[in-house]
């Protein structure tokens, strides 16, 4: 990856982002956090095709404002759920994702977290989501530099989307 003075970072060949966060930021998921899994997971078209190979879409997705999301379902437990007792349909009782562990796949939106992504003046911008600053326990707890690992957070699909805005929620 190369960065220039305008904080542009090449993530893939000919695919740059404008980085809006502190370049020293680190991130690593921590055990028992699951905050990001307690809210709606937006599914882009490619995600729907991938998910259809792994799960029944009629049972695991919902429409909201014309967009598809992974269903939030009521869980019969007190851990790994939002205040309303719900979480992602794929979040297991142990706080781990069945899609990630059993299928070795994550929806784009899950890969992106804790970053916020949007397009502005034709450029893809990334920053840390405001909600992550408030709730995510994985920020600055490891040696894993976000800026040095952007390809792990930003699937190439994002550059192809008309509206990759990651703040849309269920």
């Amino acid at each position: 990856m190369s960065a220039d003075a305008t904080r542009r970072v090449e993530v893939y060949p000919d695919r740059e982002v404008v980085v809006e966060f502190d370049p020293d930021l680190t991130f690593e998921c921590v055990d028992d956090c699951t905050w990001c899994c307690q809210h709606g997971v937006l599914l882009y078209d490619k995600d729907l095709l991938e998910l259809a190979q792994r799960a029944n879409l009629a049972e695991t997705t919902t429409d909201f404002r014309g967009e598809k999301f992974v269903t939030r379902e009521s869980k019969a437990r007190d851990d790994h759920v939002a205040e309303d007792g719900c979480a992602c349909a794929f979040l297991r009782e142990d706080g781990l994702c069945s899609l990630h562990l059993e299928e070795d796949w994550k929806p784009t939106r899950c890969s992106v977290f804790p970053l916020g992504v949007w397009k502005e003046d034709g450029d893809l911008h990334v920053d840390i989501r405001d909600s992550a600053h408030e709730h995510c326990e994985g920020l600055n707890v490891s040696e894993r530099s976000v800026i040095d690992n952007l390809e792990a957070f930003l699937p190439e699909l994002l550059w192809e989307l008309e509206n990759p805005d990651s703040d849309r929620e269920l």
Side-chain angles (χ1 to χ4, degrees), residues 8-44:
R8 290 181 174 275
V9 176
E10 185 176 72
V11 181
Y12 302 102
D14 300 319
R15 306 248 181 184
E16 293 181 336
V17 293
V18 177
V19 174
E20 306 271 347
F21 59 86
D22 178 351
D24 294 328
L25 180 81
T26 66
F27 174 78
E28 194 74 49
C29 284
V30 296
D31 290 343
D32 292 325
C33 177
T34 70
W35 181 83
C36 60
C37 306
Q38 297 170 22
H39 310 283
V41 175
L42 175 66
L43 296 166
Y44 301 110

